[in-house]
Amino acid sequence: MQENGLEARLRKLEDLESIRQLKARYLACCDAKDVEGMRDCFIPGKVAIDYGAIGVFDDRDQLIDVFQKLGGHDHIVDMHHGVNPEIAVLDDRTARGTWGLYFHQINTKDNTLTQLGATYEDEYLRTDGGWKISKTRCVITSTQVMRFTEGAPQVMFAGRGMTAP
């Protein structure tokens, strides 16, 4: 069935909002350590995930495994904020977008504070379960790691990149 101009515009707005909600859900699941929720944000099967120093994965479960090893602990407190989305719905089944990321992490075991800025480059696929991430790349643009102990915090690293954990 062919959509008229108003129906097509409304569907595009609904698609854009669904994709915004998908990314917000993904980031909130990361903060809540909700790995099932994180997993559900990606298409099942082959997916392209490039998180730089964190790893490159072709299956969502590979990302979940690394996330649980690095951040799935009570002493890790994360905050992921996605900002400035630019989303393009390409057709009825595909879309792409870029997002800014502000990430803040407190590690109470190592007494460190990490702040970083990054850009997500995403591709989305409409599935029977709604829009899902089919490809994502995260490029870190700034990083600051500080150690907090008694006295003034000590900057351990500040710059563009981030080394592997």
Side-chain angles (χ1 to χ4, degrees), residues 40-105:
D40 188 53
C41 292
F42 292 91
I43 61 170
K46 189 165 176 64
V47 64
I49 302 170
D50 180 352
Y51 281 178
I54 301 296
V56 177
F57 315 102
D58 61 8
D59 183 277
R60 62 190 183 174
D61 290 330
Q62 295 169 328
L63 171 64
I64 299 299
D65 289 344
V66 170
F67 176 82
Q68 288 178 302
K69 289 175 187 166
L70 296 178
H73 309 284
D74 289 340
H75 66 273
I76 301 290
V77 181
D78 287 341
M79 179 182 72
H80 297 73
H81 283 191
V83 297
N84 304 327
E86 294 182 20
I87 303 166
V89 176
L90 304 175
D91 56 41
D92 287 345
R93 295 198 65 241
T94 62
R96 76 172 145 238
T98 60
W99 295 78
L101 172 70
Y102 174 75
F103 172 78
H104 183 91
Q105 180 185 78

Side-chain angles (χ1 to χ4, degrees), residues 16-144:
L16 291 170
E17 183 58 22
S18 293
I19 291 167
R20 283 187 194 93
Q21 292 297 317
L22 168 68
K23 192 66 170 191
R25 185 169 59 254
Y26 170 72
L27 297 171
C29 287
C30 290
D31 290 348
K33 301 177 189 347
D34 175 1
V35 294
E36 292 307 315
M38 287 174 62
R39 181 180 285 113
D40 188 53
C41 292
F42 292 91
I43 61 170
K46 189 165 176 64
V47 64
I49 302 170
D50 180 352
Y51 281 178
I54 301 296
V56 177
F57 315 102
D58 61 8
D59 183 277
R60 62 190 183 174
D61 290 330
Q62 295 169 328
L63 171 64
I64 299 299
D65 289 344
V66 170
F67 176 82
Q68 288 178 302
K69 289 175 187 166
L70 296 178
H73 309 284
D74 289 340
H75 66 273
I76 301 290
V77 181
D78 287 341
M79 179 182 72
H80 297 73
H81 283 191
V83 297
N84 304 327
E86 294 182 20
I87 303 166
V89 176
L90 304 175
D91 56 41
D92 287 345
R93 295 198 65 241
T94 62
R96 76 172 145 238
T98 60
W99 295 78
L101 172 70
Y102 174 75
F103 172 78
H104 183 91
Q105 180 185 78
I106 300 169
N107 181 326
T108 61
K109 181 179 174 187
D110 295 339
N111 294 328
T112 57
L113 174 87
T114 301
Q115 294 181 23
L116 66 85
T119 301
Y120 279 109
E121 300 165 357
D122 293 344
E123 292 183 15
Y124 310 97
L125 184 65
R126 185 194 309 272
T127 69
D128 290 340
W131 287 98
K132 305 286 181 178
I133 301 167
S134 60
K135 183 177 183 179
T136 185
R137 178 173 180 243
C138 186
V139 177
I140 295 177
T141 55
S142 66
T143 306
Q144 180 175 2

